[in-house]
Amino acid sequence: MRLSPQTGTAFLLTAGDTLRVIDPEGEQVADLVAFTREPAPAWLSSGRTFDYNDTLYLTTGHVLYSHRSAAMLTIVADTVGRHDFLYTPCSPETFTLLYDHKGHHPSCLENLVTNLEPFGIVLDGIPTTFNIFMNVDVLPGGELKIAPPRSTPGDYIELRAEADLVVGLTACSAEMSNNYRFKPIDFEIHDSMPSEDDRSRFRS
Ligand SMILES: [Zn+2]
């Protein structure tokens, strides 16, 4: 399936499903967030994820954790190797505070709120997103520098669900993070238990 530029979506993953997020044109960020309902409501946690992986740069083999320290998603493939988990999803305030933008500006936060609402998730329940393909350099003095994504056309990341999840996903709306051009994002869900017919192909 395809996300048009500056849009978002939300969907369910069953434990064992694999989500592939593809950058079809290159240099496009996709913000991802995830929630579990059982055994208790929990959400993706950048802090817990850094705690247990000891790196800012998450890639193949790393596990993304919930705020309750449960494994939510494992990165099982990654053709880029640079993503961000420090920055929050761009929001209306991002554009007024940082860029003095007047009037409405599409944002990942607005797109997540709109698409997650049917799942009972509201604005204040949305944590720091895992910003797929976002390229943030941490300078020796601790300063953060947003650079163009390293993804080229067709690059992708695959994440395996370690629990039943509600997932929100966007094609990011922030100028600087996407090298000043807004592109689509593609995604595919690979069932954990494919039938004989779709054993070798992705549902999209
Ligand atoms: Zn964004």
Side-chain angles (χ1 to χ4, degrees):
M1 286 197 277
R2 170 156 290 195
L3 291 180
S4 299
Q6 298 184 297
T7 67
T9 187
F11 49 87
L12 299 172
L13 289 181
T14 302
D17 286 354
T18 300
L19 171 68
R20 179 185 284 195
V21 179
I22 305 145
D23 182 351
E25 297 184 19
E27 296 189 332
Q28 177 61 46
V29 171
D31 287 13
L32 176 144
V33 69
F35 304 84
T36 51
R37 291 165 162 156
E38 302 291 338
W43 50 86
L44 194 62
S45 168
S46 54
R48 294 290 179 204
T49 300
F50 292 142
D51 285 353
Y52 305 131
N53 290 286
D54 286 323
T55 179
L56 295 177
Y57 298 128
L58 300 155
T59 186
T60 307
H62 290 131
V63 176
L64 310 186
Y65 288 88
S66 75
H67 82 290
R68 290 177 175 268
S69 299
M72 296 188 98
L73 292 152
T74 298
I75 303 174
V76 294
D78 179 10
T79 65
V80 178
R82 179 57 70 93
H83 315 281
D84 170 68
F85 210 177
L86 294 168
Y87 280 83
T88 54
C90 62
S91 68
E93 293 78 11
T94 306
F95 299 103
T96 33
L97 292 173
L98 287 182
Y99 305 115
D100 201 25
H101 181 82
K102 310 280 189 239
H104 180 258
H105 190 297
S107 66
C108 288
L109 185 61
E110 181 184 65
N111 288 327
L112 290 171
V113 168
T114 302
N115 287 285
L116 286 166
E117 188 181 22
F119 296 95
I121 294 158
V122 297
L123 173 70
D124 291 327
I126 295 178
T128 301
T129 37
F130 180 55
N131 304 311
I132 295 168
F133 310 130
M134 186 174 180
N135 183 10
V136 175
D137 286 323
V138 182
L139 305 185
E143 301 94 338
L144 300 177
K145 184 169 176 290
I146 297 173
R150 296 181 179 180
S151 47
T152 58
D155 272 330
Y156 64 88
I157 186 171
E158 281 182 11
L159 305 114
R160 185 181 64 229
E162 304 297 353
D164 293 347
L165 301 174
V166 176
V167 172
L169 185 71
T170 69
C172 179
S173 297
E175 279 79 357
M176 189 188 292
S177 302
N178 300 289
N179 206 13
Y180 302 92
R181 192 171 70 85
F182 303 118
K183 288 84 67 188
I185 282 289
D186 290 342
F187 67 100
E188 301 167 346
I189 298 166
H190 189 212
D191 283 333
S192 52
M193 299 217 270
S195 68
E196 201 60 44
D197 282 354
D198 29 76
R199 195 171 292 280
S200 63
R201 69 167 195 269
F202 281 112
R203 165 164 63 87
S204 60

